[in-house]
Amino acid sequence: MALAIVLQSLRLVLPLPPVLSTFIIGTLVNMMLVITCRICGLTAAVMLTLLLPVLAYMQGQLLLPLLIPVVVTGNLLYVLLVRKRGSLILTYFLPPLLKAAAMYAGARIVLMFVYIPVGAMADSILFAMSVPQLVTGIAGIAAGERILLKLKNSY
């Protein structure tokens, strides 16, 4: 859990463009969700799904506090689906796809209740809750599986 928090906090010290930072940090955070779920179990992974969005809001990565439950829901769905292994599609693509869909839908609902003029800010929020979630979700599973395999082979 501590490593996930440190990895998420890298955005505070790495001078990267926001889009690049989103993809790098997002991949690392998703990787830690996968590793935590597989090594420490569902309870620890759920605790991370609750903690990480709060920290992201405190770091300024989430613009609205109402997006915290949206991210929690997406990450929780991701963790629950990552636990189930199956075909390539079920293992690598379904969890990130459903996470991104849930987060996009949740962000749309939040934006209906919060006055944010249609335009760049709303588009930025909706984008952040869709494509990057899909890409970093897939990359996080791939990275997590690779690290878990290396850990398994080291024993």
Side-chain angles (χ1 to χ4, degrees), residues 7-31:
L7 291 173
Q8 182 167 310
S9 299
L10 284 176
R11 71 174 45 92
L12 301 174
V13 295
L14 285 180
L16 295 172
V19 172
L20 186 58
S21 171
T22 297
F23 284 99
I24 292 171
I25 305 298
T27 296
L28 294 172
V29 167
N30 283 315
M31 175 190 75

Side-chain angles (χ1 to χ4, degrees), residues 38-79:
R38 299 266 169 80
I39 292 178
C40 302
L42 184 59
T43 302
V46 168
M47 288 172 54
L48 271 181
T49 68
L50 298 171
L51 178 64
L52 292 174
V54 172
L55 292 174
Y57 174 71
M58 291 169 48
Q59 294 170 345
Q61 187 64 22
L62 283 177
L63 299 176
L64 303 168
L66 290 174
L67 291 174
I68 292 171
V70 172
V71 176
V72 167
T73 302
N75 284 344
L76 185 58
L77 186 58
Y78 181 76
V79 164

Side-chain angles (χ1 to χ4, degrees):
M1 291 175 96
L3 183 56
I5 293 167
V6 168
L7 291 173
Q8 182 167 310
S9 299
L10 284 176
R11 71 174 45 92
L12 301 174
V13 295
L14 285 180
L16 295 172
V19 172
L20 186 58
S21 171
T22 297
F23 284 99
I24 292 171
I25 305 298
T27 296
L28 294 172
V29 167
N30 283 315
M31 175 190 75
M32 289 308 302
L33 287 171
V34 170
I35 292 170
T36 301
C37 185
R38 299 266 169 80
I39 292 178
C40 302
L42 184 59
T43 302
V46 168
M47 288 172 54
L48 271 181
T49 68
L50 298 171
L51 178 64
L52 292 174
V54 172
L55 292 174
Y57 174 71
M58 291 169 48
Q59 294 170 345
Q61 187 64 22
L62 283 177
L63 299 176
L64 303 168
L66 290 174
L67 291 174
I68 292 171
V70 172
V71 176
V72 167
T73 302
N75 284 344
L76 185 58
L77 186 58
Y78 181 76
V79 164
L80 291 171
L81 292 169
V82 159
R83 286 181 4 160
K84 309 215 182 276
R85 292 184 183 179
S87 67
L88 184 68
I89 290 172
L90 288 176
T91 301
Y92 286 91
F93 297 107
L94 188 62
L97 182 63
L98 292 180
K99 173 186 178 176
M103 289 176 69
Y104 180 82
R108 298 268 310 166
I109 292 167
V110 166
L111 290 176
M112 288 184 343
F113 293 104
V114 175
Y115 177 72
I116 293 182
V118 175
M121 183 180 278
D123 291 346
S124 173
I125 290 170
L126 291 173
F127 176 76
M129 296 292 165
S130 61
V131 174
Q133 300 304 322
L134 180 63
V135 172
T136 62
I138 293 168
I141 292 171
E145 291 292 340
R146 186 169 175 98
I147 287 175
L148 288 167
L149 184 62
K150 292 211 178 267
L151 288 172
K152 180 181 174 186
N153 289 336
S154 69
Y155 288 102

